[in-house]
Amino acid sequence: MDSSSSLDSLHHIAISVQNIAEAAEWYRETFRCEITYQDATWAMLKFGNVSLALVLPEQHPPHIGFVTPAAHKYGTLKRHRDGTESIYISDPSGNVVELMSPESCGQA
Amino acid sequence: MDSSSSLDSLHHIAISVQNIAEAAEWYRETFRCEITYQDATWAMLKFGNVSLALVLPEQHPPHIGFVTPAAHKYGTLKRHRDGTESIYISDPSGNVVELMSPESCGQA
């Protein structure tokens, strides 16, 4: 991910699965990817260009995390345990979109 | 996207929206991205590291398109109008996953 790019980038995509361990194993067997975090409630899988988060529907909404310098325009960013800072908004169709600050993602 | 990477990459993420024109305009205004294709039934938006497809729920299922040399293992690939070749499968939770051959994506 090139911070000098003129285009914003995607940090991760989060999809709902019924069982984190089962899903993480399926993605690891199906693709060349690395499990960078896993517990009973969510997992993060690293792919070549972007990460895939597996979440339980009752814990997190499915969403797409974008890295954009405009994140601050939408309100006060919340700091997460991994150090990233973001705010959640919805697109006109109700899809949940996470806006992450480049500085907090090491892309400043 | 580095074809020599040891990790598979994501080609696109397709999400459902209610109105293609409205959604494309919202994403273009919210992010630094380029609309590379748009008609009344779907649109493709290019971001720095991956593309975002906007689709109508009755036309295409939401899905994630992965580029993987293992695509061929899952059956006969279908050739699409843009030249890519892929097969659709589902993960254990029913999420639709498109497996695209690297050769057809210019990543061989």
Side-chain angles (χ1 to χ4, degrees):
Chain A
M1 286 184 272
D2 181 358
S3 63
S4 67
S5 167
S6 60
L7 299 176
D8 288 336
S9 63
L10 272 68
H11 183 272
H12 64 271
I13 302 101
I15 60 170
S16 290
V17 299
Q18 287 155 10
N19 181 292
I20 300 296
E22 175 191 49
E25 183 61 16
W26 187 86
Y27 279 92
R28 203 186 57 75
E29 286 185 350
T30 306
F31 300 105
R32 298 178 300 178
C33 63
E34 293 172 4
I35 300 175
T36 57
Y37 182 83
Q38 183 180 350
D39 66 23
T41 65
W42 73 285
M44 186 72 94
L45 280 59
K46 181 183 177 185
F47 284 80
N49 57 337
V50 66
S51 291
L52 178 67
L54 308 174
V55 298
L56 295 177
E58 63 268 29
Q59 298 250 347
H60 302 275
H63 66 270
I64 305 179
F66 295 85
V67 182
T68 170
H72 298 279
K73 294 181 186 173
Y74 296 86
T76 303
L77 306 186
K78 181 182 173 186
R79 188 174 183 85
H80 306 284
R81 284 176 296 176
D82 63 0
T84 60
E85 295 183 348
S86 71
I87 186 168
Y88 288 84
I89 64 174
S90 294
D91 77 8
S93 299
N95 294 299
V96 178
V97 168
E98 181 178 6
L99 308 179
M100 311 174 74
S101 75
E103 307 80 36
S104 73
C105 298
Q107 293 184 41
Chain B
M1 287 184 270
D2 182 358
S3 62
S4 68
S5 168
S6 60
L7 299 177
D8 289 335
S9 63
L10 272 68
H11 183 272
H12 63 271
I13 300 102
I15 60 170
S16 291
V17 300
Q18 288 154 10
N19 181 292
I20 300 295
E22 175 191 51
E25 183 61 17
W26 187 85
Y27 279 92
R28 203 185 59 73
E29 285 186 349
T30 306
F31 300 105
R32 298 178 300 179
C33 62
E34 293 173 2
I35 299 175
T36 57
Y37 182 82
Q38 183 179 350
D39 66 21
T41 65
W42 72 286
M44 186 72 93
L45 282 58
K46 181 183 178 185
F47 284 80
N49 57 337
V50 66
S51 290
L52 178 68
L54 308 174
V55 298
L56 295 177
E58 64 268 30
Q59 300 250 347
H60 302 274
H63 65 269
I64 305 179
F66 295 85
V67 182
T68 170
H72 299 278
K73 295 182 185 173
Y74 295 87
T76 303
L77 305 187
K78 181 183 174 186
R79 189 174 182 86
H80 306 284
R81 285 176 295 178
D82 63 0
T84 60
E85 296 183 349
S86 71
I87 187 168
Y88 288 84
I89 63 174
S90 293
D91 77 8
S93 300
N95 294 299
V96 178
V97 168
E98 181 179 7
L99 308 180
M100 311 174 76
S101 76
E103 307 80 41
S104 73
C105 298
Q107 293 185 40

